[in-house]
Coordinates of all heavy atoms in Angstrom, one line a residue:
A1 N 0.8 -1.2 0.0 CA 0.0 0.0 0.0 C 0.9 1.2 0.0 O 2.0 1.2 0.4 CB -0.9 0.0 1.2
A2 N 0.3 2.3 -0.5 CA 1.1 3.6 -0.6 C 1.5 4.0 0.8 O 0.7 3.9 1.8 CB 0.2 4.7 -1.2
G3 N 2.8 4.4 1.0 CA 3.3 4.9 2.2 C 3.9 3.8 3.1 O 4.6 4.2 4.1
Q4 N 3.8 2.6 2.7 CA 4.4 1.5 3.5 C 5.9 1.5 3.2 O 6.3 1.9 2.1 CB 3.8 0.1 3.1 CG 2.4 -0.1 3.7 CD 1.9 -1.5 3.3 OE1 2.2 -2.0 2.3 NE2 1.2 -2.1 4.3
T5 N 6.7 1.0 4.1 CA 8.1 0.9 3.9 C 8.6 -0.5 3.8 O 8.3 -1.4 4.6 CB 8.9 1.6 5.1 OG1 8.5 2.9 5.3 CG2 10.4 1.5 5.0
V6 N 9.2 -0.8 2.7 CA 9.7 -2.2 2.4 C 11.2 -2.2 2.7 O 12.0 -1.4 2.2 CB 9.5 -2.5 0.9 CG1 10.0 -3.9 0.7 CG2 8.0 -2.4 0.5
R7 N 11.5 -3.2 3.6 CA 12.9 -3.5 3.9 C 13.5 -4.5 2.9 O 13.0 -5.6 2.8 CB 13.1 -4.0 5.3 CG 14.6 -4.4 5.7 CD 14.6 -5.3 6.9 NE 16.0 -5.5 7.3 CZ 16.8 -6.5 6.8 NH1 16.3 -7.3 5.8 NH2 18.0 -6.7 7.2
V8 N 14.4 -4.0 2.1 CA 15.0 -4.9 1.1 C 16.4 -5.2 1.5 O 17.3 -4.4 1.7 CB 15.1 -4.1 -0.3 CG1 15.7 -5.0 -1.4 CG2 13.7 -3.7 -0.7
P9 N 16.7 -6.5 1.7 CA 18.0 -6.9 2.2 C 19.1 -6.8 1.2 O 18.8 -6.5 0.0 CB 17.8 -8.4 2.6 CG 16.7 -8.8 1.6 CD 15.8 -7.7 1.5
P10 N 20.3 -7.0 1.5 CA 21.4 -6.9 0.5 C 21.1 -7.8 -0.7 O 20.7 -9.0 -0.5 CB 22.6 -7.4 1.3 CG 22.3 -7.0 2.7 CD 20.9 -7.3 2.9
L11 N 21.2 -7.3 -1.9 CA 21.0 -8.1 -3.1 C 22.2 -8.1 -4.0 O 23.0 -7.1 -3.9 CB 19.8 -7.4 -3.9 CG 18.5 -7.4 -3.2 CD1 17.5 -6.6 -4.0 CD2 17.9 -8.8 -2.9
P12 N 22.4 -9.1 -4.8 CA 23.5 -9.1 -5.7 C 23.4 -7.9 -6.7 O 22.2 -7.6 -7.1 CB 23.4 -10.4 -6.4 CG 22.0 -10.9 -6.3 CD 21.6 -10.3 -5.0
V13 N 24.5 -7.3 -7.1 CA 24.4 -6.3 -8.1 C 24.1 -6.9 -9.5 O 24.4 -8.0 -9.8 CB 25.7 -5.5 -8.2 CG1 26.0 -4.8 -6.8 CG2 26.9 -6.4 -8.5
P14 N 23.4 -6.1 -10.4 CA 23.0 -6.7 -11.6 C 24.1 -7.2 -12.5 O 23.9 -8.3 -13.1 CB 22.3 -5.4 -12.3 CG 21.9 -4.5 -11.2 CD 22.9 -4.7 -10.1
D15 N 25.3 -6.6 -12.5 CA 26.4 -7.1 -13.3 C 26.8 -8.5 -12.9 O 27.5 -9.2 -13.7 CB 27.6 -6.1 -13.2 CG 27.2 -4.8 -13.9 OD1 26.3 -4.7 -14.7 OD2 27.9 -3.8 -13.6
A16 N 26.6 -8.8 -11.6 CA 27.0 -10.1 -11.2 C 26.0 -11.2 -11.4 O 26.2 -12.4 -11.1 CB 27.3 -10.1 -9.7
V17 N 24.9 -10.9 -12.0 CA 23.9 -11.9 -12.3 C 23.6 -12.0 -13.8 O 23.6 -11.0 -14.5 CB 22.5 -11.4 -11.6 CG1 21.4 -12.4 -11.9 CG2 22.7 -11.2 -10.1
A18 N 23.5 -13.2 -14.2 CA 23.2 -13.4 -15.6 C 21.7 -13.2 -15.8 O 20.9 -14.1 -15.5 CB 23.6 -14.9 -16.0
T19 N 21.3 -12.1 -16.3 CA 19.9 -11.8 -16.6 C 19.5 -12.2 -18.0 O 20.1 -11.8 -19.0 CB 19.7 -10.2 -16.5 OG1 20.1 -9.8 -15.2 CG2 18.2 -9.9 -16.6
P20 N 18.5 -13.1 -18.0 CA 18.2 -13.6 -19.4 C 17.5 -12.5 -20.2 O 16.8 -11.7 -19.7 CB 17.1 -14.7 -19.0 CG 16.6 -14.4 -17.7 CD 17.8 -13.7 -17.0
A21 N 17.9 -12.5 -21.5 CA 17.3 -11.5 -22.4 C 15.9 -11.9 -22.7 O 15.5 -13.0 -22.7 CB 18.1 -11.5 -23.7
K22 N 15.1 -10.8 -22.9 CA 13.7 -11.1 -23.3 C 13.6 -11.8 -24.6 O 14.3 -11.4 -25.6 CB 12.9 -9.8 -23.3 CG 12.6 -9.2 -22.0 CD 11.8 -7.9 -22.1 CE 11.4 -7.3 -20.7 NZ 10.6 -6.1 -20.8
P23 N 12.8 -12.8 -24.8 CA 12.7 -13.4 -26.1 C 12.1 -12.5 -27.1 O 11.3 -11.7 -26.8 CB 11.7 -14.6 -25.8 CG 11.0 -14.2 -24.6 CD 11.9 -13.4 -23.8
R24 N 12.7 -12.6 -28.3 CA 12.2 -11.7 -29.4 C 10.8 -12.1 -29.9 O 10.6 -13.3 -30.0 CB 13.2 -11.7 -30.5 CG 12.8 -10.8 -31.7 CD 13.9 -11.0 -32.8 NE 13.4 -10.2 -34.0 CZ 12.6 -10.7 -34.9 NH1 12.1 -11.9 -34.8 NH2 12.3 -10.0 -36.0
I25 N 10.0 -11.2 -30.1 CA 8.6 -11.5 -30.6 C 8.7 -11.5 -32.1 O 9.1 -10.5 -32.7 CB 7.6 -10.4 -30.1 CG1 7.6 -10.4 -28.5 CG2 6.2 -10.7 -30.6 CD1 6.7 -9.3 -28.0
S26 N 8.3 -12.5 -32.7 CA 8.3 -12.6 -34.2 C 7.2 -11.6 -34.8 O 6.3 -11.2 -34.1 CB 8.0 -14.0 -34.6 OG 6.6 -14.4 -34.4

């Protein structure tokens, strides 16, 4: 809900993660 505070723990940085590319739409 608006105004709530989300605690996000330490996350791996994007460069360290193999992010799959979006499949191309024919």
Side-chain angles (χ1 to χ4, degrees):
Q4 288 182 321
T5 300
V6 181
R7 177 195 183 275
V8 181
L11 299 173
V13 296
D15 291 342
V17 179
T19 305
K22 288 185 178 180
R24 179 182 175 276
I25 301 173
S26 69

